[in-house]
Amino acid sequence: MNNPHQQASEQANEPLRLVFIGPPGSGKGTQAPILKEHYGLAHISTGDLLRLEVSANTDLGREARKYMTEGALVPDQLIIQMIAGVVGGQGFILDGFPRTVNQARKLDEMLGERGLRAVIEFKIEDRLLISRILGRLVHPGSGRSYHVEFHPPRVPMTDDVTGEPLVKRSDDNEEALMNRLAAYHEVTTPVLDYYRQQGILHTVDASDKPEAVWSQIKAALNQ
Ligand code: AMP
């Protein structure tokens, strides 16, 4: 029989497999690079993967674009196929997936016994998201995000790290945002209950400053 110390150290050596769930603008894309660096994880953002498909004009990209422009969810089947190829044995942060209970079940099947260590819910009121999203600028290559007012780049419209241009996402407009928020409340919040029942859900106050949110995430992972 394993002694308890051995079991604890085996768990500590297991790669961290994490999921971030939160509405658009809740700070998932700000925290993910911090955890990626700190714990040496892969950052897998289904939104970023889909935008790559759209810009490469693949079959998947052409199909997904119709939904993304309106702020609707891309059908599960397409997303699950896309993610199956990228979730491997290494530690990761899944950002923007799963967004439906069906996707969450499929992820559990893919991971088998390895399972997830924790799911972090970024909780924040909708009214705080509108200005965050409408002023957002992103660096497509890395997913780094800025804000024209709250977190401006050092040089306007330029990524601080690479010097490459920043862009405004085409779905960061008021109409698409309303649909994205509606999809979040209707279809994605049941995923929180799914993980709550598994006992792995941790909720952080995403209206806090980024450093404070990072401290809350670290505290949750050390529990
Ligand atoms: P995001 O960058 O996470 O805000 O995602 C941008 C858009 O990509 C969403 O509004 C959806 O249209 C689509 N998308 C990203 N992830 C998923 C997912 N897990 N399921 C369905 N659609 C998704």
Side-chain angles (χ1 to χ4, degrees):
M1 206 174 82
N2 279 353
N3 72 42
H5 294 297
Q6 194 182 344
Q7 278 176 2
S9 91
E10 274 167 10
Q11 199 194 353
N13 289 333
E14 262 290 286
L16 267 181
R17 286 182 287 271
L18 307 175
V19 163
F20 280 2
I21 301 183
S26 59
K28 306 184 297 293
T30 300
Q31 296 298 323
I34 303 175
L35 274 88
K36 173 182 171 163
E37 174 82 18
H38 189 83
Y39 296 112
L41 306 174
H43 173 202
I44 304 169
S45 154
T46 43
D48 286 349
L49 292 174
L50 287 169
R51 281 183 285 279
L52 281 176
E53 299 282 343
V54 170
S55 57
N57 201 26
T58 62
D59 289 347
L60 169 58
R62 279 194 296 276
E63 185 61 22
R65 190 200 330 243
K66 299 185 244 170
Y67 301 92
M68 295 170 78
T69 311
E70 289 174 12
L73 291 184
V74 172
D76 278 355
Q77 192 196 336
L78 297 177
I79 295 288
I80 290 160
Q81 269 171 18
M82 182 179 77
I83 204 83
V86 290
V87 174
Q90 84 284 29
F92 57 71
I93 310 153
L94 274 173
D95 163 2
F97 178 93
R99 264 172 153 102
T100 66
V101 172
N102 182 36
Q103 290 180 12
R105 291 210 178 95
K106 288 286 188 296
L107 177 63
D108 276 348
E109 282 170 25
M110 280 178 223
L111 294 176
E113 285 195 346
R114 290 176 292 151
L116 292 167
R117 164 80 79 86
V119 175
I120 310 288
E121 176 196 5
F122 288 64
K123 197 178 173 78
I124 181 165
E125 286 177 46
D126 285 4
R127 65 182 174 84
L128 299 175
L129 299 173
I130 300 172
S131 54
R132 282 192 185 195
I133 286 289
L134 299 184
R136 176 158 77 172
L137 301 170
V138 292
H139 174 241
S142 66
R144 257 185 299 284
S145 58
Y146 298 83
H147 189 281
V148 280
E149 192 186 330
F150 311 140
H151 174 42
R154 283 197 290 270
V155 178
M157 292 307 285
T158 307
D159 178 43
D160 288 353
V161 179
T162 61
E164 289 167 354
L166 300 178
V167 300
K168 194 171 156 56
R169 273 173 52 173
S170 60
D171 59 347
D172 278 352
N173 63 70
E174 209 155 343
E175 198 185 332
L177 176 60
M178 291 307 135
N179 292 335
R180 288 155 73 197
L181 287 174
Y184 183 76
H185 292 300
E186 284 161 29
V187 187
T188 304
T189 51
V191 182
L192 298 171
D193 292 326
Y194 178 87
Y195 288 126
R196 193 174 286 117
Q197 278 160 19
Q198 293 190 3
I200 55 172
L201 182 73
H202 302 266
T203 300
V204 297
D205 175 0
S207 66
D208 248 341
K209 292 207 162 36
E211 311 80 66
V213 175
W214 166 220
S215 302
Q216 292 181 59
I217 295 174
K218 261 191 297 193
L221 295 180
N222 287 332
Q223 267 172 25

